[in-house]
Amino acid sequence: MINQTLLDNAAKKFREHFGKPHTIAAYAPGRVEILGNHTDYNEGFVLSAAINMGAVFLASPSNNTTCRLIAGDITEETSFDISAVNRSEKNLWQNYVAGVLASLREHGKINTGFNGIFFGNVPLGAGLSSSAALEMAAGLAFCALYGINIDKLTLAKIGQRAEHEYAGAKCGLLDQISSLYGKANNLVMTDFRSLAVQNIPMDSNACFLMCNTNVKHRLVDGEYNERREKCEMAAKFFASELSHPVSALRDVSWEEYTKLSSVMDPVTAKRAAHVIGENTRVLKGKELLAKKDLCAFGQLMYESHESSRTNFENSCKELDFVVSQAKHIPGVLGARLSGGGFGGSVVILIHPRDAETAGKTLTAIYKKEFGMPCDIRIITPSDGATVL
Ligand code: GLA
């Protein structure tokens, strides 16, 4: 669901900057993680959704080898030669686009330059994957521009590689897959081992509120990568103790965990408890959605947050405050931190009739507690990325 104003504004800016209209436009949404935290790179399960905010990427071919790229939101411009698509230390935003472009070269001929501009309305640093939206919008635009044919999963992996090699975050595939496979009024259920993706209809008796705490953790990539290492260490430990093969925490049951946790390094054990618990919760949550038991689903969201707070230690006082206050607001069914953590947003499951009032209540109590505003929006599960 592209916001028409976003597209019109981008088209106008494109003409102003490059003197003629764009020839290609692509749009990709951000995502919200509903249940399943840090399970993607552990080959587990996640319920997510593409959201009604995203990034639009407009382009046209140039008649030489120069690539001119404009970050519309911040009006910064960069240019590079198509033979030198490198990582930039100066323009960090450029890395998401350059990283995608560099990998796409392995799938087709990219010898000429382009003029490109992007705009987005996903709040930055809010845990809603503004970077994946940019990668996927840029990826689709480049595929159209250079006549490259790849499937969605390949594009998702190209976005992930841009994060790993150009941006420095060892993320899983959740953000890119959600952005590509979203469907209006549906959640996205992904098995991150088989990479099977399923759309699950969302009950119209509930909707999602996002509460962006406006807290951005300074060391977020470092913390994220460190958590990932601990999960991999835990998987190695279980592989050496259990008689069946273990290549990721996905292979470890809760029973196996409880039998062995006391002989593990305590921090590694807590990280493993989070991931193994989350996998169980996502599978349970999928069944509850099928039964339309939103109350029980909401309880799983609270449990997920509690596990983030105590086991994975990727929450912060602002996120904890929002979750604990949400519990007392009429109509709220569940709440948890969404995404990498260490700041960012809380996703709240709520009866649609109560959403607006709940938003106002939370805004007021957050301001009173922290002296700064939080941003609340109603999130609609939306269609995935597309060439326009
Ligand atoms: C970030 C990463 C995802 C995923 C989530 C946590 O959004 O980019 O790959 O690991 O954190 O679930």
Side-chain angles (χ1 to χ4, degrees):
M1 189 203 323
I2 180 161
N3 176 312
Q4 194 58 38
T5 321
L6 186 70
L7 181 61
D8 292 347
N9 187 27
K12 183 167 164 270
K13 286 280 161 30
F14 190 97
R15 273 196 311 275
E16 278 169 21
H17 279 282
F18 299 117
K20 45 185 175 194
H22 64 277
T23 54
I24 304 278
Y27 170 77
R31 65 99 191 89
V32 54
E33 178 198 284
I34 308 290
L35 200 57
N37 186 246
H38 287 258
T39 46
D40 61 346
Y41 56 81
N42 290 298
E43 299 185 18
F45 306 95
V46 187
L47 276 164
S48 62
I51 62 175
N52 48 319
M53 291 180 272
V56 63
F57 194 101
L58 269 46
S60 68
S62 73
N63 46 17
N64 51 41
T65 56
T66 305
C67 306
R68 285 179 66 195
L69 181 62
I70 294 169
D73 308 303
I74 48 174
T75 350
E76 279 184 7
E77 175 166 359
T78 183
S79 67
F80 50 88
D81 193 86
I82 196 67
S83 62
V85 183
N86 298 321
R87 201 176 167 275
S88 165
E89 291 297 333
K90 195 171 137 244
N91 296 320
L92 295 182
W93 51 268
Q94 178 185 329
N95 289 325
Y96 301 110
V97 178
V100 166
L101 189 59
S103 291
L104 278 176
R105 304 190 89 152
E106 294 169 12
H107 298 269
K109 268 208 193 105
I110 302 186
N111 295 328
T112 51
F114 65 85
N115 293 325
I117 192 165
F118 62 86
F119 275 87
N121 59 0
V122 182
L124 305 182
L128 295 172
S129 294
S130 54
S131 63
L134 172 57
E135 290 150 16
M136 297 301 95
L140 287 178
F142 289 140
C143 285
L145 193 69
Y146 293 109
I148 295 173
N149 240 322
I150 51 171
D151 59 27
K152 286 187 188 177
L153 271 181
T154 308
L155 182 57
K157 287 177 186 167
I158 284 174
Q160 182 193 33
R161 193 166 154 197
E163 297 275 356
H164 285 207
E165 293 174 11
Y166 280 67
K170 298 281 180 209
C171 66
L173 275 167
L174 170 67
D175 310 343
Q176 293 78 10
I177 283 191
S178 312
S179 177
L180 291 172
Y181 287 87
K183 188 173 166 201
N185 306 318
N186 276 252
L187 301 189
V188 178
M189 165 82 189
T190 311
D191 175 338
F192 283 92
R193 171 158 285 167
S194 66
L195 295 180
V197 185
Q198 209 187 332
N199 286 123
I200 297 191
M202 186 58 205
D203 195 322
S204 58
N205 285 320
C207 70
F208 297 106
L209 270 186
M210 281 314 277
C211 174
N212 178 4
T213 60
N214 286 318
V215 174
K216 295 184 180 88
H217 198 286
R218 209 162 43 88
L219 297 172
V220 86
D221 287 348
E223 296 271 14
Y224 184 96
N225 295 346
E226 187 271 339
R227 294 298 186 283
R228 184 171 182 153
E229 276 164 30
K230 279 276 185 301
C231 291
E232 283 158 7
M233 277 166 61
K236 280 200 186 108
F237 167 82
F238 286 110
S240 67
E241 294 292 324
L242 295 171
S243 53
H244 62 81
V246 174
S247 57
L249 281 178
R250 149 75 169 266
D251 299 309
V252 184
S253 70
W254 187 253
E255 290 67 35
E256 288 165 339
Y257 167 77
T258 44
K259 258 186 223 145
L260 290 166
S261 60
S262 61
V263 295
M264 289 175 80
D265 156 62
V267 174
T268 313
K270 285 205 289 183
R271 306 301 186 244
H274 181 60
V275 173
I276 298 167
E278 285 292 274
N279 278 334
T280 319
R281 282 186 279 277
V282 175
L283 294 177
K284 226 196 240 175
K286 188 185 166 200
E287 282 172 21
L288 292 170
L289 285 180
K291 286 192 215 151
K292 298 192 182 297
D293 190 346
L294 292 172
C295 280
F297 187 89
Q299 286 308 313
L300 293 177
M301 293 174 75
Y302 288 130
E303 282 174 28
S304 166
H305 185 81
E306 191 53 19
S307 175
S308 269
R309 193 178 73 79
T310 56
N311 290 325
F312 216 62
E313 295 175 285
N314 63 335
S315 188
C316 63
K317 64 175 188 305
E318 292 83 357
L319 291 167
D320 293 342
F321 178 80
V322 174
V323 172
S324 66
Q325 294 299 313
K327 274 184 190 154
H328 307 297
I329 295 178
V332 172
L333 298 157
R336 62 184 284 278
L337 75 82
S338 178
F342 312 105
S345 296
V346 168
V347 57
I348 299 166
L349 182 72
I350 185 164
H351 283 297
R353 60 163 190 271
D354 297 313
E356 213 182 307
T357 318
K360 284 190 187 138
T361 310
L362 266 178
T363 309
I365 48 184
Y366 190 87
K367 180 88 196 289
K368 188 156 173 252
E369 181 75 9
F370 297 110
M372 62 172 196
C374 61
D375 292 323
I376 309 243
R377 291 162 207 249
I378 294 181
I379 292 286
T380 320
S382 302
D383 283 330
T386 179
V387 171
L388 300 167

